[in-house]
């Protein structure tokens, strides 16, 4: 089903980028901006100063913060916003991703190729761990938005003072596949993998998620903050946790 509001936000932002210096200039700001206009089309509610910080969107006592990179950057804002406002943290994830490489000298891009990876809720765990101390706050909600995207990359570029084989220049969403809302502690059960025993270790958790998942400790910390898992008990060489 076509989401007209998302398409309108996307076209408006991409038209603005087209009038500027093109792909790569905005360093992922287009993704942030498209989501901002999608979630609140009225610009009068954008970039509102609250307690000395700028909220992405503020309408009444509700604030929306869109985080496309590290959630650790949100910590100062959450400290200021949560006591007096309902705050929704929006985190985008790639459901289907197509990759294009950019020749920085000519500006030409390669034909797109599809990435074999498709994000799940567990791909948000690493970042959510950074804000785990706020998870029990009744004013905090999360929205995980799974997007279909086109990602543009440069080869052999400098990033953070080091030469990298690849540097992401831009990630442009083409559509929304689905979204997951987490509004109360019980909603964090989506981070409990199927087949997990009542008593489990970090290694057990990683195996239950499958693949090469290695953020079991982070996921368990999130579940503990939500009150769904106990603090654990050392049994032999490992700590065993219990679902509540």
């Amino acid at each position: 089903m076509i989401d007209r509001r998302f398409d309108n936000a996307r076209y408006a932002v991409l038209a603005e980028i087209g009038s500027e210096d093109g792909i790569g200039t905005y360093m992922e700001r287009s993704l942030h901006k498209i989501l901002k206009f999608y979630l609140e089309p009225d610009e009068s509610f954008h970039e509102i100063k609250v307690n000395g910080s700028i909220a992405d969107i503020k309408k009444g006592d509700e604030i929306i913060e869109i985080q496309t990179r590290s959630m650790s950057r949100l910590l100062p804002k959450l400290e200021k916003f949560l006591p007096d406002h309902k705050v929704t943290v929006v985190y985008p994830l790639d459901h289907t991703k197509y990759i294009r490489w950019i020749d920085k000298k000519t500006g030409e891009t390669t034909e797109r190729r599809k990435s074999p990876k498709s994000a799940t809720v567990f791909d948000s765990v690493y970042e959510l761990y950074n804000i785990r101390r706020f998870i029990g706050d009744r004013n905090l909600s999360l929205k995980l938005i799974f997007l279909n995207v086109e990602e543009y990359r440069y080869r052999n570029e400098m990033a953070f003072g080091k030469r990298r084989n690849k540097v992401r220049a831009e990630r442009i969403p083409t559509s929304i596949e689905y979204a997951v809302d987490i509004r109360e502690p019980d909603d964090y059960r989506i981070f409990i993998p199927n087949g997990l025993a009542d008593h489990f270790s970090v290694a057990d958790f990683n195996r239950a998620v499958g693949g090469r998942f290695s953020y079991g400790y982070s996921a368990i910390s999130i579940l503990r903050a939500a009150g769904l898992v106990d603090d654990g008990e050392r049994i032999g060489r490992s700590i065993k946790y219990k679902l509540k």
Side-chain angles (χ1 to χ4, degrees):
M1 183 176 179
I2 296 175
D3 190 327
R4 294 296 182 191
R5 196 165 94 175
F6 179 81
D7 281 349
N8 290 339
R10 181 175 179 272
Y11 294 147
V13 172
L14 293 183
E16 179 182 332
I17 290 176
S19 67
E20 297 289 340
D21 296 328
I23 297 297
T25 302
Y26 281 69
M27 292 302 290
E28 281 207 320
R29 281 190 285 170
S30 62
L31 172 60
H32 185 278
K33 198 167 187 177
I34 288 169
L35 288 176
K36 184 165 61 176
F37 274 87
Y38 168 68
L39 294 166
E40 178 48 65
D42 189 339
E43 285 188 76
S44 67
F45 297 110
H46 295 182
E47 308 299 318
I48 306 298
K49 193 170 185 178
V50 180
N51 297 337
S53 291
I54 302 297
D56 287 335
I57 299 168
K58 182 181 184 295
K59 202 170 185 179
D61 68 344
E62 296 186 1
I63 288 174
I64 297 176
E65 280 295 316
I66 302 160
Q67 195 62 27
T68 60
R69 294 189 178 184
S70 175
M71 283 201 187
S72 61
R73 300 181 182 186
L74 279 180
L75 293 174
K77 285 188 175 185
L78 293 177
E79 288 177 346
K80 295 177 181 179
F81 296 166
L82 282 171
D84 305 310
H85 301 84
K86 298 285 186 182
V87 179
T88 299
V89 173
V90 176
Y91 187 65
L93 293 144
D94 298 341
H95 178 267
T96 302
K97 178 165 66 178
Y98 290 92
I99 300 169
R100 295 178 186 267
W101 292 93
I102 305 172
D103 185 320
K104 200 165 187 179
K105 292 181 180 179
T106 65
E108 294 179 351
T109 60
T110 64
E111 291 294 322
R112 68 179 192 173
R113 67 170 181 83
K114 186 177 180 181
S115 169
K117 297 179 181 178
S118 182
T120 71
V121 293
F122 292 102
D123 289 287
S124 67
V125 161
Y126 179 78
E127 291 300 338
L128 292 181
Y129 177 80
N130 289 320
I131 61 169
R132 64 193 181 283
R133 64 188 173 98
F134 295 109
I135 282 175
D137 194 303
R138 60 186 177 83
N139 281 338
L140 178 67
S141 297
L142 301 173
K143 179 183 283 289
L144 307 178
I145 299 183
F146 290 81
L147 299 164
N148 300 316
V149 304
E150 291 214 354
E151 182 173 294
Y152 293 80
R153 295 176 178 177
Y154 292 127
R155 293 186 191 275
N156 300 320
E157 283 296 308
M158 296 294 291
F160 306 105
K162 297 180 179 180
R163 184 166 292 280
R164 305 292 177 87
N165 290 331
K166 59 185 179 182
V167 174
R168 184 163 64 197
E170 191 69 277
R171 185 165 52 138
I172 297 179
T174 57
S175 62
I176 293 177
E177 192 69 23
Y178 64 96
V180 175
D181 291 301
I182 303 172
R183 299 189 179 94
E184 56 188 45
D186 202 57
D187 292 338
Y188 285 89
R189 291 188 183 277
I190 62 169
F191 295 108
I192 300 174
N194 293 330
L196 187 67
D198 288 341
H199 288 79
F200 58 91
S201 65
V202 170
D204 295 331
F205 193 99
N206 287 337
R207 281 192 292 269
V209 175
R212 296 182 178 179
F213 189 74
S214 59
Y215 298 125
Y217 178 79
S218 298
I220 292 167
S221 296
I222 292 167
L223 292 168
R224 286 171 61 195
L228 300 176
V229 169
D230 69 6
D231 291 335
E233 177 186 3
R234 180 168 291 280
I235 300 176
R237 294 185 176 181
S238 65
I239 296 176
K240 292 285 187 177
Y241 300 91
K242 183 179 180 181
L243 294 173
K244 290 185 179 179

